[in-house]
Amino acid sequence: MTDRYAVIGNPIEQSKSPLIHTAFAQVCGQAIDYTKLLAPLGGFASAVDAFRAAGGRGMNVTAPFKLDAFAYATDLAPSAQMAGAVNAMKFEGDKVYAENFDGVGLVRDVVHNLSCPIQGRRILILGAGGATRGALMPIMDQQPAELVIVNRTVAKAEELAALALAHGAGSIPVGGIGYADLGAQTFDLVFNATSASLKTELPPLSASVFAQGCLAYDLTYGKGLTPFLQLAKQAGVTHLADGVGMLAEQAAEAFAWWRGVRPDTRAVIERLTVPLV
Ligand code: NDP
């Protein structure tokens, strides 16, 4: 029987995961069946139980079930523990192995695809939600010169800064602040990890944060030139990116984890790219 995988969420219609994993399977010569699974709110565990009972081998997890998957897993990888959320599961007998590949996907896109080192650079992350939490460990592992997390709700930025500091063993300066406290600081890489772009909104950010030669990266994808990227462009930033590469890279990590072979992501990124205009 063909090995079965799925992405679970609610809603799920918008998910690009079947397209991505089917393309990966084709180029890697792997016979897999990958579908979308709509689970009712409150019905995550029974939907996953049924999928496993029918022979399912693994799942991607999207909103709003990343915390349910965290609770459901029997074996949490450090990435999932740090993120406090799960975006990929692998089923082996009674075991449910769980990972969070979002952060590693982001870093791989930035360092490898966009050829933009994080090591030794000043990093600013806007937002202190699940995506930022997942990105902390992979970013700190790159040894930036400094990491600042800025958020509307300052307490959440402070909490994540404390987590990152603990992971970096105190050797890398980390701050968690509000937008008003950014002052005249400038950064080499600015990540918009807020959900503002989904609502065509702009976090209260000054255009002066972008240093010369800066990369402005919006984790939201498929929206073209978001208000954040527009601000960066108007400030003279020429290196702009959205989260399409992150999406493809986290999927490639999950595929490699399940199948033992890592697909090239270029064709998928090209196919899903919406021009930043
Ligand atoms: P969460 O809901 O967990 O967090 C949202 C964050 O955005 C919070 O920090 C919130 O601040 C902040 N926020 C929302 N609206 C505004 C606004 N108008 N101005 C300033 N801050 C705002 O979301 P996630 O962390 O899960 O996701 C964040 C983004 O990352 C989404 O756009 C998502 O699509 C994208 N993403 C992309 C992925 C990819 O593969 N490319 C993977 C995962 C996420 P507060 O705490 O004050 O409410």
Side-chain angles (χ1 to χ4, degrees):
M1 193 173 78
T2 308
D3 288 342
R4 293 181 60 205
Y5 297 87
V7 56
I8 186 167
N10 185 337
I12 200 60
E13 214 32 62
Q14 78 293 346
S15 175
K16 305 287 184 211
S17 293
L19 182 157
I20 295 172
H21 283 282
T22 303
F24 286 167
Q26 269 164 9
V27 294
C28 294
Q30 297 272 316
I32 69 163
D33 175 49
Y34 192 109
T35 50
K36 290 176 187 173
L37 188 52
L38 176 70
L41 299 178
F44 175 82
S46 44
V48 181
D49 286 346
F51 184 74
R52 289 169 67 198
R57 300 286 302 274
M59 272 185 173
N60 288 118
V61 183
T62 189
F65 295 129
K66 290 183 179 184
L67 297 180
D68 298 79
F70 186 88
Y72 186 86
T74 61
D75 290 70
L76 290 163
S79 64
Q81 272 165 1
M82 180 81 171
V86 160
N87 89 328
M89 297 188 292
K90 180 159 68 176
F91 309 127
E92 287 178 11
D94 288 345
K95 294 280 190 190
V96 176
Y97 297 98
E99 283 275 1
N100 191 313
F101 292 121
D102 281 340
V104 79
L106 172 65
V107 166
R108 168 119 182 149
D109 188 39
V110 171
V111 175
H112 182 80
N113 298 342
L114 303 174
S115 304
C116 184
I118 291 174
Q119 185 175 24
R121 316 286 292 283
R122 291 163 299 160
I123 314 295
L124 175 65
I125 306 186
L126 319 180
T132 298
R133 186 181 273 266
L136 291 181
M137 190 168 75
I139 287 180
M140 291 297 279
D141 286 345
Q142 294 289 311
Q143 301 286 314
E146 179 189 1
L147 172 64
V148 174
I149 301 159
V150 62
N151 197 42
R152 223 168 33 176
T153 311
V154 181
K156 281 161 73 179
E158 289 170 345
E159 184 197 336
L160 294 198
L163 257 181
L165 251 186
H167 182 74
S171 55
I172 299 164
V174 180
I177 59 176
Y179 287 93
D181 303 319
L182 268 171
Q185 294 182 79
T186 64
F187 297 87
D188 305 310
L189 279 81
V190 181
F191 294 104
N192 181 14
T194 73
S195 49
S197 298
L198 294 174
K199 301 166 276 181
T200 325
E201 289 174 6
L202 179 66
L205 185 71
S206 157
S208 62
V209 294
F210 304 104
Q212 184 94 27
C214 174
L215 167 69
Y217 189 113
D218 200 326
L219 273 66
T220 301
Y221 54 86
K223 300 281 182 197
L225 201 66
T226 62
F228 165 75
L229 292 175
Q230 222 163 331
L231 179 79
K233 191 175 179 183
Q234 280 160 6
V237 178
T238 54
H239 204 177
L240 306 172
D242 75 1
V244 67
M246 172 183 179
L247 176 73
E249 293 299 339
Q250 64 76 28
E253 293 294 323
F255 192 91
W257 185 50
W258 291 328
R259 308 301 301 177
V261 46
R262 197 181 198 287
D264 190 293
T265 54
R266 273 173 299 189
V268 157
I269 292 174
E270 222 164 87
R271 189 158 163 196
L272 294 178
T273 291
V274 172
L276 301 181
V277 289

